[in-house]
Structure formats: structure tokens, C-alpha cells
Amino acid sequence: MTRNIGILIFDGAEELDFVGPWEVFTMSNEMFALQGNERPDEVFLISADGGTVTCAKGMRVEAHHSFKTAPALDVLLIPGGNGTRALEKDEAMLDYLRSAAPSCDWVTSVCTGSLVLAAAGLAKDKRITTHWAFVEELRKRPYGAEVLENARYVRDGNLVTAAGVSAGIDMALWLTGQLHGPDHARLTQRGMEYDPAPPYTAAV
């Protein structure tokens, strides 16, 4: 079964928030290919109009799909960054999230991407996390989520939210284990030469 993994991008997105998970998901595909197997996941970027966005540190990235052309998703990921503050009230983005999420096996975010999921109503009565510097701000929002701190990533049902920036890599590796098994996730981690020793474990 081919899965569709859609990563949202927007002006002001933090680069590593989405490039880190992109590397994990696409490296996973490469590990399958090296073993003579089909690549099981389609990984693509989605922006509102399918065009180019300018990220938080100036990287310019072109999307593969717009909200209108993106296929149904199995996995959705929204990164964080300063651009999320505008997205909190961006009805086009919030409507897209509300329409895309029901078909997803997993709905995920990195950093302040959890703010946008919460604004779309997808984190109500759920446990979530975000960048340590935004925890208190997110707790003030009236979205009905319990915001945890000191966790690399938090899973509540099919909602998985990661803390800031590099934590998205850890979350994506964990998710790869859920999709394809722990052994394949370890192989993917080895392929990336990624050997972290994070100070916190996941809250599950």
C-alpha cells in the first residue's frame, strides 16, 4: 500500500521543522529501495496555492501541490515557525486542515505547528507539546488542549506533536517505526547517520 505523506509549507515556516521529517520519510524510502523493494510512501510538500514560500531563515521552497490539487493524505505534518501566528487565523489553512485530517492515520506537527492544529480544532481535549519558548503562550489559547513541556514529542491517539525544530526528526523516526516497524526505523536512522541522545523521552 502506498501512503501519501503531505508536509505543509508556508511563509515563515522554520526550515528544519519540515526538512528534518522530509529527510526521515524520504530516507525510509531509500532504505526500502536499497533492499530491492518498492518505495512505499509518496512524500510531498503542500502550500496554499502550490507555489513558492519563503521560510523563516530565507530558504525559498516550491511546493508540489496546492490545497486544491493535493491528494487525500495518510500522514499530515505541519511545521512551526513565526509564520504560524498568521495561520492561527487563516481560514483557508484551517479549513484545509479540517478537511484533510479525517482521512489521515496520523496528524502531526513540529514546534508551533501545534498552535495551528489547535486553532483548527484538532487538538481539543488532547495532550500536545510545542517549542519550550512557546509553551506558556499556547496554554493561554482557548483551544482546550493540555500543553505538556519537557517532552520531545507527545502522542495522543493519532495526533503526534513534537517540540522545537530538531525534535521533528525524532518524532518522524518514531512515526516511521509505527508505519514500517522499529527495525526499519533503526535502519533509516543509520542511513541518516543520526545518533541523538535527547534529554527527554516521549510522553505516550
Side-chain angles (χ1 to χ4, degrees):
M1 180 183 70
T2 299
R3 292 183 179 88
N4 288 330
I5 299 178
I7 299 176
L8 296 174
I9 56 173
F10 47 86
D11 287 335
E14 184 67 34
E15 285 87 342
L16 190 59
D17 282 10
F18 68 90
V19 175
W22 171 277
E23 180 67 23
V24 173
F25 298 138
T26 55
M27 181 64 75
S28 168
N29 273 344
E30 291 302 307
M31 293 298 101
F32 278 111
L34 285 174
Q35 298 173 84
N37 298 318
E38 294 291 326
R39 293 174 172 84
D41 299 318
E42 292 287 340
V43 188
F44 45 84
L45 302 173
I46 305 168
S47 69
D49 62 2
T52 300
V53 304
T54 301
C55 301
K57 305 296 194 302
M59 180 187 288
R60 291 176 60 80
V61 182
E62 185 175 355
H64 301 95
H65 290 287
S66 68
F67 291 166
K68 291 182 178 179
T69 66
L73 304 180
D74 300 288
V75 178
L76 180 152
L77 183 144
I78 182 165
N82 289 334
T84 57
R85 310 315 190 268
L87 296 183
E88 184 181 9
K89 300 183 185 303
D90 185 326
E91 288 304 320
M93 173 64 77
L94 300 180
D95 286 346
Y96 177 74
L97 290 171
R98 294 178 189 120
S99 65
S103 73
C104 292
D105 295 323
W106 298 99
V107 176
T108 73
S109 68
V110 182
C111 195
T112 56
S114 58
L115 166 66
V116 189
L117 294 182
L122 302 179
K124 184 174 174 57
D125 299 323
K126 300 277 190 177
R127 297 178 304 151
I128 61 174
T129 195
T130 190
H131 191 284
W132 62 266
F134 195 69
V135 166
E136 291 305 323
E137 282 299 315
L138 188 51
R139 284 174 173 165
K140 295 175 184 177
R141 298 301 204 274
Y143 299 132
E146 179 185 358
V147 184
L148 304 186
E149 56 189 320
N150 297 339
R152 291 293 280 178
Y153 52 94
V154 173
R155 182 255 181 110
D156 193 328
N158 76 333
L159 183 70
V160 190
T161 55
V165 196
S166 66
I169 298 173
D170 297 356
M171 182 270 288
L173 280 168
W174 176 86
L175 188 57
T176 298
Q178 300 302 301
L179 297 174
H180 303 298
D183 288 343
H184 183 75
R186 294 186 186 103
L187 181 64
T188 300
Q189 177 178 334
R190 180 171 172 78
M192 295 171 60
E193 293 212 45
Y194 179 64
D195 190 21
Y200 304 111
T201 56
V204 177

